[in-house]
Amino acid sequence: MQTKPECDLIMKGGITSGVVYPFAVTGLAKRYRLRGVGGSSAGAIAATLAAAAERRRQASPNSDDDSGFAQIEAIGRELPLSMRNLMQPTPAFKGLFELLLAFVSTPKEGTSKLSRIIMAAASLCLVPLYLGSVVVVAGAAAAIGLSDFGWLVAGLIAGPGITIVLAAIILGRLIFKELPANRFGMLPGITQDPDKGPGLTDWLADNIDLVAGNVDGDGMPADPLTVGQLEAVGIEIAAMTTDVTSQRPFQLPLQSAHHFFSKADFDALFPARVVKYLVGNAQPLDATEEGGPDDLYPLRIGKDFPVLLVARLSLSFPGLIQAIPLWRRDYQLKTAAGDDGLWRRCVFSDGGISSNMPVHLFDSWLPRRPTFGMAFAAWDPDRHGNERVRLLQRSLQSTDLPTPPIPGVVAFFFAMFNTAKDWQDTLQLGLPGFAERTVEVRLDESKEGGMNLEMPPETIDSLVELGREAGEKLLNEFDLKENRWRRAMSVLPELESGLEAYAAAYRERPVGTDAMSYAELLTQYEQKTITAATKTWREETLAPFAERLAEVGDDVTAARDDSNLSTVQDGPRPAQDASVRLLAEADRRPRSREASSGTGS
């Protein structure tokens, strides 16, 4: 059997836009072995299913079992039609959810958006409408009985006023009291109405295991598929989530062992079999005297992290799908006994808040295999014509970015929000070595993808075909040699520039009477923080390595000063706004608190 070439795949978030992914994934899988799969939000859902299918294929005796991908295609046909039933709000939010759908969904033929909004609002505010109507009728009756039309006027004023006030109270209670109490979302994910079938999380949990072939003797899912089971056959999965309490992103699966979960919370958010696995044989921690609940359990991390949690922690769309609460100690707060660390609840929400198109996942300076990206953009007929799917053939400059109008205050604030959360992804996606491996699917946002939970069959079929086309574009138009060449030409000049600056800083002494150069600092300074850095290691390992790097930088400076020599930076290179720098990672390198404050760096 011929070995398939390998690839990675990153998919952008977009709620219902994710119906594009199934056939794009299966198209790629016919030619490639998926080694790294990731995304955010809806992209994370697609990533978990794709990883599960690849796990089934690689776990088969001949690595040729494509039945998991066949199941993904079946899911791709069925999911759009059942999506509305998967979105099951808690009873308290049924009315508000229907009102939200009325605002964001395209009305069915023969109905108007306004009429649906009015009906949904009326259903949500039945009691206020009833009481308001009673007041109006009472005013009319009094006017007739007393022959005083002032009562009618009073009823016509008071009735609607009472309705508006009571409706505002109901909405205010739902938004400002019930929403926080329900983890800032209307949909918990687990089944609320069995007559409609499973809820989103229940559906996803079962399908991940079924697609992966992770079932018991009766063909039923048992313990959930884990990251370790993927790694055992050479598959890496990654997604983004956002800890809005700590105001930082995390990369999934979590690697640092400092998060705990409350069983009561997880019982309301995950299937019982998943919670049973997460609890295992651990005993609950009663943290009530230190600011926490009485049922805390350590969250499984790394290889033991369930694949389901990779998706669920990434897709908690604010206000719609409930956030996932995890607990950790805040060591800047002291307990009543004076010890460091009170327990605090951290709310994990949508990965798209921090990175909706995490094109940086699986990245390296010089990639050995393609990392494909699938992204969404707004379709503009004036700009794009009839081209709905495009594989970029060159990197993008700032002048290539679209300039949509901002017609009012609401649009202005949405533009600010989207800029704050997406600017890094947007600019990263346009760089050489990134742009030409990313296929862009352009959607008519008025009726396709996004929050359009009730798309008609013809719209769904259109999106499915766009997904097929996206997969075919990557298969037929992507040029791996050209992609690697551009990436090398992007990285090497920046490395050379950085080493030249490094050499200058390494040799020179800062202004000051007792200042050391870095060459002296690395071996002579009596440092206090990294206690494992012995004198022998500093002199025999650290300093020689630093010196070799500086010598490369010296060579660059010498070449720049010699008119007969040239540098990489002086040669042909792509136009780009980028540099090589030290960046913080999102929970990829677990370190204990003791290491970070004592022997760590």
Side-chain angles (χ1 to χ4, degrees):
M1 175 183 171
Q2 186 176 3
T3 302
K4 283 184 168 67
E6 299 174 344
C7 77
D8 303 323
L9 179 61
I10 307 296
M11 290 168 280
K12 187 175 184 178
I15 312 180
T16 64
S17 306
V19 302
V20 168
Y21 291 137
F23 288 92
V25 167
T26 57
L28 281 176
K30 290 174 183 177
R31 184 178 301 177
Y32 287 94
R33 173 187 174 179
L34 304 180
R35 286 298 302 267
V37 197
S40 281
S41 197
I45 294 179
T48 57
L49 291 171
E54 188 63 69
R55 185 260 179 182
R56 184 170 187 167
R57 180 160 68 178
Q58 296 305 319
S60 70
N62 299 314
S63 297
D64 59 357
D65 182 359
D66 287 334
S67 56
F69 291 104
Q71 285 182 263
I72 289 181
E73 289 197 352
I75 289 170
R77 296 186 188 95
E78 299 169 1
L79 176 59
L81 302 176
S82 61
M83 189 174 298
R84 172 63 181 84
N85 287 336
L86 293 176
M87 300 294 187
Q88 298 183 17
T90 59
F93 288 107
K94 282 185 177 180
L96 186 60
F97 182 64
E98 291 299 328
L99 183 60
L100 173 66
L101 287 185
F103 272 103
V104 301
S105 297
T106 302
K108 296 180 180 178
E109 188 174 352
T111 63
S112 69
K113 181 181 284 285
L114 179 60
S115 64
R116 184 174 177 184
I117 291 173
I118 292 173
M119 291 296 294
S123 177
L124 177 62
C125 302
L126 278 177
V127 172
L129 282 171
Y130 174 76
L131 293 177
S133 299
V134 168
V135 171
V136 171
V137 171
I144 295 172
L146 301 174
S147 300
D148 184 352
F149 284 96
W151 286 100
L152 177 60
V153 173
L156 291 173
I157 294 174
I162 289 173
T163 297
I164 292 171
V165 169
L166 291 178
I169 292 174
I170 290 175
L171 286 174
R173 179 181 175 83
L174 285 174
I175 294 172
F176 297 108
K177 185 175 181 180
E178 294 295 334
L179 207 59
N182 283 271
R183 295 168 283 273
F184 302 97
M186 293 183 281
L187 286 66
I190 61 171
T191 305
Q192 302 295 302
D193 185 351
D195 292 338
K196 292 184 176 181
L200 178 61
T201 306
D202 289 334
W203 173 88
L204 182 58
D206 287 347
N207 274 285
I208 287 173
D209 288 310
L210 292 172
V211 167
N214 186 52
V215 295
D216 61 20
D218 297 323
M220 300 298 293
D223 284 348
L225 182 72
T226 64
V227 169
Q229 289 175 281
L230 298 181
E231 292 180 355
V233 291
I235 302 168
E236 182 180 358
I237 190 166
M240 299 303 296
T241 186
T242 307
D243 178 357
V244 295
T245 304
S246 303
Q247 300 181 31
R248 58 155 295 174
F250 275 91
Q251 181 170 317
L252 300 167
L254 295 178
Q255 302 287 347
S256 300
H258 60 271
H259 285 109
F260 286 63
F261 69 92
S262 163
K263 186 174 183 299
D265 276 329
F266 272 40
D267 282 339
L269 293 167
F270 293 100
R273 67 182 179 89
V274 175
V275 178
K276 180 181 178 182
Y277 164 79
L278 289 169
V279 169
N281 296 321
Q283 295 300 312
L285 171 66
D286 186 345
T288 51
E289 294 185 0
E290 299 172 320
D294 61 0
D295 63 344
L296 288 181
Y297 291 85
L299 185 68
R300 296 187 183 228
I301 60 171
K303 294 181 183 294
D304 296 327
F305 200 79
V307 173
L308 172 66
L309 264 66
V310 173
R312 184 61 182 85
L313 275 163
S314 188
L315 63 86
S316 300
F317 191 84
L320 182 64
I321 301 175
Q322 291 184 12
I324 306 296
L326 296 176
W327 291 80
R328 69 172 175 87
R329 287 185 182 272
D330 185 336
Y331 288 102
Q332 298 183 28
L333 300 174
K334 292 187 179 294
T335 66
D339 299 325
D340 289 342
L342 284 179
W343 287 96
R344 286 294 181 261
R345 182 175 182 257
C346 296
V347 178
F348 281 73
S349 193
D350 197 274
I353 297 172
S354 49
S355 182
N356 203 35
M357 179 56 191
V359 69
H360 61 279
L361 296 176
F362 316 120
D363 194 31
S364 61
W365 282 355
L366 295 178
R368 292 182 292 177
R369 59 178 179 264
T371 297
F372 295 125
M374 293 189 63
F376 300 113
W379 177 51
D380 181 352
D382 295 333
R383 183 186 305 275
H384 304 132
N386 293 322
E387 188 181 39
R388 299 290 301 276
V389 180
R390 182 190 180 198
L391 181 65
L392 300 177
Q393 298 299 327
R394 62 182 180 87
S395 56
L396 300 177
Q397 300 299 304
S398 59
T399 51
D400 294 318
L401 297 177
T403 54
I406 300 179
V409 173
V410 174
F412 175 72
F413 279 101
F414 269 108
M416 283 200 305
F417 173 75
N418 288 330
T419 301
K421 74 183 185 70
D422 291 339
W423 72 270
Q424 183 68 68
D425 293 340
T426 300
L427 296 182
Q428 192 77 27
L429 199 60
L431 292 178
F434 290 87
E436 67 273 4
R437 60 178 169 85
T438 302
V439 65
E440 183 179 80
V441 179
R442 295 156 176 169
L443 304 180
D444 182 349
E445 294 180 338
S446 66
K447 63 180 181 180
E448 296 175 342
M451 285 290 292
N452 290 288
L453 297 176
E454 299 177 328
M455 293 182 288
E458 58 271 18
T459 300
I460 294 169
D461 291 342
S462 173
L463 292 182
V464 169
E465 288 307 311
L466 290 180
R468 289 185 195 274
E469 185 178 350
E472 290 172 359
K473 287 270 186 184
L474 290 172
L475 289 175
N476 299 327
E477 298 182 17
F478 174 75
D479 186 335
L480 178 58
K481 291 179 181 178
E482 180 67 19
N483 172 246
R484 294 174 67 203
W485 161 253
R486 293 185 190 183
R487 186 58 186 271
M489 291 301 294
S490 299
V491 169
L492 294 177
E494 298 302 332
L495 283 176
E496 184 188 66
S497 174
L499 287 173
E500 184 179 14
Y502 163 85
Y506 182 76
R507 305 289 188 206
E508 296 174 1
R509 289 186 177 186
V511 176
T513 57
D514 62 346
M516 294 179 175
S517 68
Y518 275 102
E520 298 166 326
L521 193 74
L522 295 182
T523 56
Q524 300 175 27
Y525 169 61
E526 295 183 5
Q527 62 86 34
K528 307 173 183 65
T529 54
I530 308 177
T531 56
T534 64
K535 187 175 187 298
T536 300
W537 176 82
R538 292 169 69 178
E539 292 177 349
E540 297 181 0
T541 303
L542 178 63
F545 173 72
E547 181 67 30
R548 290 195 299 272
L549 292 179
E551 289 172 359
V552 176
D554 292 338
D555 291 342
V556 176
T557 301
R560 190 181 297 283
D561 294 339
D562 189 333
S563 59
N564 295 319
L565 299 175
S566 65
T567 68
V568 177
Q569 301 164 71
D570 297 330
R573 56 188 295 195
Q576 64 179 19
D577 297 321
S579 61
V580 177
R581 19 174 213 156
L582 185 67
L583 294 177
E585 291 187 340
D587 196 47
R588 294 195 64 178
R589 298 182 182 177
R591 294 174 180 169
S592 67
R593 178 171 175 267
E594 290 73 23
S596 62
S597 62
T599 60
S601 59

